[in-house]
Amino acid sequence: MGRVARVVKSPALAILLIAPFFGETFSTATAPLDLLLPWRLPIVAGLYGCGALICREIARRHRFGLLGLCLLGAAYGVYEEGLIDRFWFDPTFWTETKVGDYSEVWHTNLLLATHLTAFHTAISICASILVVERLFPSHRDRAWAGRRGLPVAAVAFLILVPLGSADFYVPPIPVLIAAGALCALLVVCAFLVPRRPSSAEAARRRGLAWIAFFAAGAHFVLVYAIPSTNLPWPIGILISLLPIAIAILLVRRYASGGLHGRDANRVLTGMIAFFLLLDVVIGLGGRYDLSLGAIATAFALRRLHTSSPAS
């Protein structure tokens, strides 16, 4: 019973459950109750949860900073959307999202590819990890998966999950090879980038949350608005990424305190707040459990924010 209790109260189990919730419901792809279906929960836990756990353990073991963790998150985004779900290449998905064949190059919708990669980097990986680390502050510097747990997560993530993706759209093999090479390159880059030391806490800058909120919102709106314009796709993609680039520059300029400081929490709060608002609005169109899940999440994160000493 003691071992079961440790597992139930462990950050490893928390990330296995929180990462799928963030990655699936924040994007409005899946309503919260649908994640609990017995044939769906193991798949999303193996994909999102094990992916976030592996990224976190690599980043901790090799002392990556935020940039290194973001590169691992981007590699995860390529892996999920390019190699598992393969939505980068699926014309049916492009049509459903109202993006169409805008920015299609070599069977790949580049606008959706960059958008989905940015989302998974920020929300599925970084936000999930940081929230769990705030839930378990005493485990921030500890391994969450032991010598047995990490290989099991790797097997689920790299072998079992791909076996369940056979029904998704299959593009030409050279395209998949290129996506795999990009994923590997991002992982290599995570090991090569310099580790930026954390700065000391400075004066409170509450505007950072609003910067993150408006950057997430502007990027989201632009992604789905630009295809209806006559802009050449390279310009359209650059414009869609401009809010993210501006936000990164401002956060790097003004934020202090490292990954677990007050400023990091403000940026995290701003990003999540936009997607919770999006869930509430879309849920009012008939997906009410999406709205209720977003409201419940907002209250839970608010309580975590006020109870944490880092807030």
Side-chain angles (χ1 to χ4, degrees), residues 20 32 65 78 89 92 94 99 126 131 146 157 160 170-171 185 209 214 217 259-260 278 296 302 304:
V78 175
F89 318 114
T92 302
W94 307 348
V99 172
C126 292
V131 165
F157 183 66
L160 298 183
V170 180
L185 177 62
F214 285 115
L259 282 174
H260 302 108
L278 180 68
R302 175 62 181 170
L304 174 64

Side-chain angles (χ1 to χ4, degrees), residues 100-186:
D101 59 358
Y102 181 83
S103 75
E104 180 184 357
V105 177
W106 200 35
H107 308 282
T108 306
N109 190 305
L110 297 181
L111 179 64
L112 280 178
T114 55
H115 168 60
L116 293 172
T117 301
F119 173 82
H120 287 303
T121 300
I123 301 300
S124 301
I125 300 302
C126 292
S128 299
I129 292 172
L130 291 178
V131 165
V132 174
E133 288 189 344
R134 293 183 72 82
L135 282 171
F136 298 88
S138 62
H139 289 74
R140 284 177 182 169
D141 298 320
R142 302 181 190 176
W144 291 356
R147 289 180 295 178
R148 295 180 181 178
L150 196 57
V152 170
V155 169
F157 183 66
L158 297 172
I159 298 177
L160 298 183
V161 169
L163 290 176
S165 66
D167 293 337
F168 289 104
Y169 179 85
V170 180
I173 297 301
V175 177
L176 289 176
I177 293 174
L182 176 59
C183 181
L185 177 62
L186 288 168

Side-chain angles (χ1 to χ4, degrees), residues 46-57:
L47 180 59
Y48 289 95
C50 290
L53 179 62
I54 292 169
C55 288
R56 190 267 175 186
E57 294 302 271

Side-chain angles (χ1 to χ4, degrees), residues 218-262:
H219 169 71
F220 186 90
V221 170
L222 286 169
V223 164
Y224 295 102
I226 282 175
S228 62
T229 70
N230 294 321
L231 287 172
W233 67 260
I235 296 176
I237 292 176
L238 288 176
I239 291 175
S240 75
L241 294 174
L242 186 60
I244 296 177
I246 293 173
I248 290 173
L249 291 175
L250 291 175
V251 169
R252 285 179 62 86
R253 173 67 177 83
Y254 295 111
S256 63
L259 282 174
H260 302 108
R262 296 185 182 95

